[in-house]
Amino acid sequence: MSDRLDAILADGVPRVCSAAVALIAVDGSVAASAATGELVRYADAEGTLAADRPPAGRDSVFDLASISKLFTTAVVLSLVEEGRLDLDEPVAAWLPVGDPRVTLRRLLTHTAGLQPTRRIDLELPDADPATRMAAVVGTPVTGPVGGPYLYTDVGMVMVGRIAELAGGAPLDALVGDRVTGVLGLADTGYRPGPAMLPRVAATEWKPERQGAAATDGTSEHQGTVAGWTPEPLTPGCVRGEVHDETAYGLGGVAGHAGVFATADDLLAFGETLRLGGGGLLRPETAAEMVRDQGAEGAAFRHGLGVRIGDPAIVGPLGAAAFGHSGFTGTSLVVDPARGLTVVLLTNAVHPVRGRDGIRALRHAVAGEALRLAG
């Protein structure tokens, strides 16, 4: 069933990434699955092979990176359904944003005029996550509000914080209650614990994170964070904690990054969106999420949190497919017209970022999905 997909992944591992898992579902049934590579391949940034290189499997857990934005979006839309939030009200009702034209809809479509990123861990090296969060959500608007499109992690951090304020709970708890708990995604969440760690794929080598080897629940970068499990590994090997520096500086939970998941869990989430929301969102809400919101200036159309027809991930599936990619080398693509949901999880930033070939690998998996759809 998976020979072709096996070959596609084998062509990319370890050249593009050290580990890869792919799932293709047609009309809700898994038509192909493949897993290859090693969860931890390298012992340093120079490419020295690690002494212990556990194999990747279908149940391996990956840092989803920016695919986390879709989980944040689902939480926010559930709060909209309950009347706790309004997509078009000024976010100044929740955050210190002076421009009344900045709304949740504009944050979710990256048209709020906010800068792309903010390395708050470097700006405030000695601050705790709460202090850093307060600084991020106070980021001033510096660009045109309403467009053009400018991809911004800062805006999605704000969305996550608004969800916390409206939902009355931390973002990881909201994702647990409103998304993973509803869908039964037992292997999805922020800050994976010790029991899950053997299944987690390593990401980039970051020697500055040596504090992660502490055993008392503290880190020189994070301070004490409730529920955070220190990484019991050689300092520098990022595994089991978020790769993204901003999310890490915010304690591992943020609106733009921080979610870990297996391919099967992410497939179930994608299938829920393909089928119109399931028990997660009302059909009309799910339809609004994947509707073109009219953002201009991007190479694709934009829904609420999702990209529509993003050439970086949809490949031959074309302009109607939607989803998102993640910096670590992950992608989720849903093609409702063909009944397809396509998941690719990799750790293309292990041991360092900047490796070539992830776009081609995503396209090859999408091409196989197109073949299977007939």
Side-chain angles (χ1 to χ4, degrees), residues 230-329:
E231 182 180 284
L233 293 172
T234 302
C237 180
V238 178
R239 187 184 185 198
E241 61 180 25
V242 62
H243 170 267
D244 181 88
E245 296 89 352
T246 299
Y248 178 76
L250 294 172
V253 179
H256 72 296
V259 175
F260 289 72
T262 60
D264 278 282
D265 273 9
L266 188 57
L267 182 75
F269 179 74
E271 278 289 290
T272 299
L273 298 181
R274 182 182 71 84
L275 296 173
L280 186 64
L281 298 170
R282 297 171 188 162
E284 60 270 24
T285 306
E288 183 65 12
M289 180 176 176
V290 302
R291 181 181 69 83
D292 179 7
Q293 298 289 319
E296 298 180 350
F300 44 81
R301 292 166 294 139
H302 216 288
L304 298 175
V306 301
R307 297 176 175 184
I308 306 166
D310 181 359
I313 59 173
V314 302
L317 295 179
F322 65 83
H324 215 289
S325 60
F327 185 79
T328 50

Side-chain angles (χ1 to χ4, degrees), residues 40-339:
V40 182
R41 179 173 173 81
Y42 301 105
D44 53 39
E46 286 68 47
T48 303
L49 292 178
D52 181 21
R53 303 198 295 275
R58 181 164 164 173
D59 67 343
S60 294
V61 177
F62 289 78
D63 180 342
L64 298 185
S66 284
I67 296 177
S68 304
K69 294 176 171 69
L70 303 188
F71 289 82
T72 303
T73 301
V75 167
V76 164
L77 292 179
S78 73
L79 292 167
V80 170
E81 288 184 343
E82 293 175 6
R84 300 197 197 188
L85 289 172
D86 186 320
L87 287 171
D88 298 306
E89 74 174 346
V91 300
W94 301 98
L95 300 178
V97 177
D99 194 321
R101 297 173 298 166
V102 177
T103 62
L104 267 175
R105 190 183 302 275
R106 283 176 169 155
L107 291 176
L108 290 169
T109 56
H110 301 273
T111 57
L114 290 162
Q115 63 195 62
T117 190
R118 189 170 174 186
R119 285 297 304 276
I120 201 65
D121 56 323
L122 300 180
E123 290 181 41
L124 301 173
D126 300 319
D128 61 20
T131 301
R132 289 171 173 168
M133 177 62 78
V136 173
V137 300
T139 300
V141 174
T142 55
V145 177
Y149 168 90
L150 178 61
Y151 186 68
T152 168
D153 285 342
V154 173
M156 287 303 300
V157 172
M158 289 182 173
V159 171
R161 182 57 183 147
I162 292 168
E164 292 182 330
L165 295 170
L171 182 60
D172 53 347
L174 293 172
V175 169
D177 291 342
R178 293 172 176 269
V179 183
T180 63
V182 172
L183 300 180
L185 310 182
D187 288 328
T188 301
Y190 296 87
R191 297 187 299 220
M196 188 177 286
L197 187 61
R199 293 192 283 135
V200 178
T203 53
E204 193 170 3
W205 187 267
K206 293 180 177 290
E208 71 274 13
R209 291 201 191 180
Q210 296 200 8
T215 58
D216 60 355
T218 65
S219 162
E220 63 180 332
H221 293 281
Q222 287 180 290
T224 301
V225 180
W228 175 69
T229 302
E231 182 180 284
L233 293 172
T234 302
C237 180
V238 178
R239 187 184 185 198
E241 61 180 25
V242 62
H243 170 267
D244 181 88
E245 296 89 352
T246 299
Y248 178 76
L250 294 172
V253 179
H256 72 296
V259 175
F260 289 72
T262 60
D264 278 282
D265 273 9
L266 188 57
L267 182 75
F269 179 74
E271 278 289 290
T272 299
L273 298 181
R274 182 182 71 84
L275 296 173
L280 186 64
L281 298 170
R282 297 171 188 162
E284 60 270 24
T285 306
E288 183 65 12
M289 180 176 176
V290 302
R291 181 181 69 83
D292 179 7
Q293 298 289 319
E296 298 180 350
F300 44 81
R301 292 166 294 139
H302 216 288
L304 298 175
V306 301
R307 297 176 175 184
I308 306 166
D310 181 359
I313 59 173
V314 302
L317 295 179
F322 65 83
H324 215 289
S325 60
F327 185 79
T328 50
T330 58
S331 57
L332 169 66
V333 177
V334 178
D335 187 340
R338 295 186 175 96

